[in-house]
Amino acid sequence: MEALFNILAHSLSSIFLGVFIAVAGVALMFFIIHLWWRNSNFTPLSFLVAFILFCLLSFQVVLICGAMTIKGYGDDIERTVNELVSQMPSDMQLSSEDAQVLLDRVSDEFPIVGYYVSRVESWGNTPSTIAKSLVDALHRYLNWFMLRRIGWCLLFIVCAAVAVINTISRENRAGKSPRYRSRHLNSRRGSRHRIS
């Protein structure tokens, strides 16, 4: 929950966008199910599953939007790191511990960064290269972070779709769809005509 408060403090648009995408995802799932099972009646349990899915998707998508927001801070983070190392000798070799100290200072400046990335490994950098190296490492981590969140979202949607399908009215689950049944009936009628 701390991540949500950090995102709320630094990027309110991430909250709104995350909620909007979650609503769109739930609505799209219901739309596809309704297309497949024509005249299906969703039960209160179906909408309970939809609400749970909305909560799960909202959390994951808000985190994704927050990560995208941090990626947009790349230039600001690079500028901040360059200011922090501006007094160091240009040929000085910075250790991984030095890079960690710089990341901690960046997290003080951009608190939301500290939630997503708390540890960094960096070797062989100088004050002239450390800023770009840190930003590149941050972007790589955020890309992997977003990919994992997208995977969770897809898993939640699939599980919720199966649950909703199992909660719709039983008479509507007897066949796949009226279009499928009508094609099946027409083929049977045609076969009877050929036999006679």
Side-chain angles (χ1 to χ4, degrees):
M1 296 305 291
E2 180 183 355
L4 290 178
F5 290 121
N6 280 334
I7 293 172
L8 179 62
H10 294 85
S11 181
L12 192 59
S13 62
S14 296
I15 299 289
F16 293 128
L17 184 59
V19 170
F20 174 78
I21 293 174
V23 170
V26 173
L28 181 61
M29 181 192 71
F30 270 79
F31 178 72
I32 292 173
I33 291 173
H34 186 69
L35 279 181
W36 188 249
W37 276 270
R38 292 296 181 92
N39 302 318
S40 57
N41 293 323
F42 296 109
T43 64
L45 191 56
S46 303
F47 295 107
L48 176 61
V49 172
F51 177 74
I52 294 172
L53 174 63
F54 166 75
C55 293
L56 293 172
L57 284 184
S58 294
F59 183 75
Q60 297 296 329
V61 176
V62 167
L63 291 178
I64 292 172
C65 292
M68 292 175 64
T69 298
I70 294 176
K71 289 186 71 173
Y73 292 160
D75 291 340
D76 295 329
I77 293 173
E78 191 169 343
R79 191 179 309 112
T80 299
V81 174
N82 282 328
E83 290 174 359
L84 292 173
V85 300
S86 60
Q87 302 301 320
M88 296 180 180
S90 60
D91 58 348
M92 176 182 176
Q93 291 290 317
L94 298 175
S95 66
S96 185
E97 289 76 16
D98 294 328
Q100 184 63 42
V101 170
L102 290 171
L103 178 63
D104 293 340
R105 296 286 298 274
V106 168
S107 297
D108 292 339
E109 186 75 21
F110 305 95
I112 193 174
V113 172
Y115 170 78
Y116 288 91
V117 183
S118 59
R119 183 80 183 155
V120 66
E121 300 289 340
S122 177
W123 296 276
N125 283 296
T126 63
S128 61
T129 62
I130 187 64
K132 187 176 186 310
S133 177
L134 280 178
V135 171
D136 289 344
L138 181 64
H139 283 183
R140 284 194 302 272
Y141 179 84
L142 291 174
N143 288 337
W144 173 236
F145 178 89
M146 289 188 293
L147 187 62
R148 293 199 318 269
R149 299 298 135 198
I150 291 171
W152 279 111
C153 288
L154 294 175
L155 177 63
F156 291 148
I157 291 173
V158 169
C159 292
V162 171
V164 168
I165 288 169
N166 285 307
T167 61
I168 60 179
S169 301
R170 185 168 298 277
E171 61 270 20
N172 291 315
R173 291 194 286 123
K176 287 189 175 179
S177 72
R179 284 184 295 181
Y180 171 82
R181 290 195 297 270
S182 64
R183 287 198 302 268
H184 184 65
L185 289 174
N186 288 336
S187 64
R188 290 181 61 185
R189 287 172 187 161
S191 63
R192 281 203 303 268
H193 290 320
R194 287 194 295 271
I195 291 173
S196 60

